[in-house]
Amino acid sequence: RLPTGLQDENAESDRISVSPNPFTDHLVIKNISVDNVYTFSLKNSQGEDIMKDIVSSQSEVNTSALPAGMYY
């Protein structure tokens, strides 16, 4: 699904939370939907995948080894 800039009534973005923002040594990803499993990816400023994982309910991602920078 591509973002359109319009509100999608079927969007599931409210079922996932990521904190803290900004992060230093870890990220907590919570998947509120019990029926779905999501793929998490962290990208650097060049768009390269730095990390990938599957989130089913709650995951803590250790980011302490990452160099300082902007990640998406």
Side-chain angles (χ1 to χ4, degrees):
R1 193 168 14 170
L2 296 174
T4 62
L6 302 174
Q7 184 174 357
D8 182 352
E9 295 297 324
N10 297 320
E12 296 185 6
S13 63
D14 60 337
R15 297 183 182 179
I16 298 175
S17 70
V18 180
S19 62
N21 184 11
F23 65 88
T24 53
D25 59 352
H26 74 282
L27 278 172
V28 176
I29 303 167
K30 293 181 184 176
N31 173 6
I32 299 168
S33 172
V34 293
D35 299 331
N36 296 317
V37 173
Y38 297 94
T39 301
F40 154 78
S41 65
L42 185 66
K43 298 180 184 290
N44 65 14
S45 59
Q46 285 82 36
E48 301 165 326
D49 283 331
I50 301 300
M51 293 182 177
K52 274 192 171 183
D53 202 357
I54 295 194
V55 179
S56 57
S57 60
Q58 180 171 324
S59 297
E60 185 165 328
V61 180
N62 183 350
T63 58
S64 63
L66 294 176
M70 294 184 68
Y71 297 92
Y72 306 94

